[in-house]
Amino acid sequence: MSTQQWHQFLQTSAEQHPLSEISPSLINETVICDLSHLGLLQLQGADTFTFLQGQVTNDVKQLNGHLAHYSGYCNPKGRLLALFLAFAHQQHIHLQLPKDLIAPIAKRLKMYVMRSKVEVQDVSESIIKIGVYGARSIELLSGLFAEIPQTDYALTTLEHGTLIRLPGSQPRFEIFTDIAHAPAIWSSLSQHTKTVNAAYWELLEIQAGIPEVYPATQEEFVPQMLNLDLLNGINFKKGCYTGQEIVARTHYLGTVKRRSHLAHIENSATPPTPGDNVLNSNGDIVGKIARCAPSCNGGYDLLAEIRLESVEAVQLNVNGSTLNIQQLPYKF
């Protein structure tokens, strides 16, 4: 089966299981989502771990095939170019990020490979990515896979796919499989779940407090501004990498003055998008939207990077709509 045939299969499946609208009725449902909007880079070769260790914020040596983690990719000034969900699989390292960033990030990585024995490939189309979330997730996946990851970021590799457990208020998983096995997995799960689109998966990520970097927000944030340290996405003992001096200085001098907050906009004539400014009541720019999606209860949920001094002191708005700060699932 080709990638085109996979998408044709999804269209046929949608006739039997139409996409569910984002609404309050979805909150207690177990859902399935095609994650084709996410790209995947594969790095392989004798020098892969050594090479990547000098590029990203997290400790690549921790990727032992049994866990995944987030890791930032910075410019020399410590500003994020991309944010990866990284994991090792069969002597490869995989880096997941928005598909729109695949080409420029792959090009940049290749530029720094030089004489290292490292090959960087775009495997976004050949590896199928499926998301599952909800109370019945473990039960349904247990009918297909012999072992289910039990803790956040745990990874299991089985005959027909790799599973990663992701954070969420209910069990949440991502399945990585090939085109040959994806239809059977999808058909089995979709019989007992609601099918949702990428926007709903974005909402789940936001509610879990997981940030993202998009083309519109490249080089806008130091990793701590997106709470990457709170998500164990920065290792301060691993040694040098591009931008490390700035990231370390921010950490050791205790100068984190901006953090990402979970927030909600009730009504907005102009839908918020990543990169939109957060303003205070005086019209001063005090932050920027990192990630946003339609909310089940109407309006939009979002992660907004905001000056800490501005969060409690003044009324905030985006595009003229009031920004209501919510409680993140983790603490600063």
Side-chain angles (χ1 to χ4, degrees), residues 80-256:
L80 283 166
L81 296 166
L83 181 60
F84 304 134
L85 176 64
F87 61 98
H89 175 250
Q90 297 180 347
Q91 308 305 312
H92 306 144
I93 291 181
H94 288 105
L95 306 173
Q96 182 170 271
L97 65 161
K99 190 173 283 187
D100 287 348
L101 285 178
I102 284 287
I105 294 301
K107 181 179 179 180
R108 188 180 182 93
L109 287 170
K110 290 175 183 178
M111 184 172 66
Y112 287 101
V113 166
M114 298 182 185
R115 296 182 181 179
S116 299
K117 295 178 181 178
V118 180
E119 183 181 357
V120 181
Q121 292 179 288
D122 177 4
V123 294
S124 305
E125 303 301 324
S126 59
I127 297 180
I128 304 301
K129 301 164 291 294
I130 299 170
V132 183
Y133 167 82
R136 296 191 64 198
S137 295
I138 295 175
E139 170 197 347
L140 296 176
L141 290 171
S142 295
L144 294 171
F145 300 100
E147 183 181 356
I148 308 301
Q150 296 300 307
T151 57
D152 289 351
Y153 306 112
L155 178 153
T156 58
T157 296
L158 304 153
E159 183 179 1
H160 300 318
T162 293
L163 278 70
I164 297 176
R165 183 157 181 167
L166 299 173
S169 59
Q170 297 191 61
R172 188 163 69 103
F173 300 87
E174 184 167 353
I175 305 166
F176 299 84
T177 188
D178 57 26
I179 292 175
H181 295 100
I185 293 171
W186 182 276
S187 295
S188 176
L189 294 172
S190 63
Q191 293 179 35
H192 307 285
T193 57
K194 296 287 187 180
T195 305
V196 296
N197 61 18
Y200 189 71
W201 196 257
E202 285 286 295
L203 178 63
L204 296 176
E205 293 272 80
I206 290 165
Q207 293 175 342
I210 305 301
E212 188 58 277
V213 174
Y214 300 97
T217 57
Q218 281 187 300
E219 302 185 274
E220 292 287 350
F221 308 117
V222 170
Q224 287 96 325
M225 293 179 185
L226 294 187
N227 304 343
L228 201 56
D229 53 333
L230 307 179
L231 295 166
N232 297 315
I234 307 173
N235 188 296
F236 294 101
K237 299 180 180 179
K238 57 163 281 187
C240 294
Y241 56 88
T242 304
Q244 182 262 346
E245 182 179 353
I246 304 298
V247 178
R249 184 188 305 161
T250 301
H251 173 71
Y252 289 111
L253 295 181
T255 56
V256 183

Side-chain angles (χ1 to χ4, degrees), residues 11 22 24 38 115 133 146 165 175 182 247 282 292 309 327:
Q11 290 177 356
I22 296 179
L38 298 174
R115 296 182 181 179
Y133 167 82
R165 183 157 181 167
I175 305 166
V247 178
N282 296 323
C292 56
E309 64 185 21
Q327 185 68 47

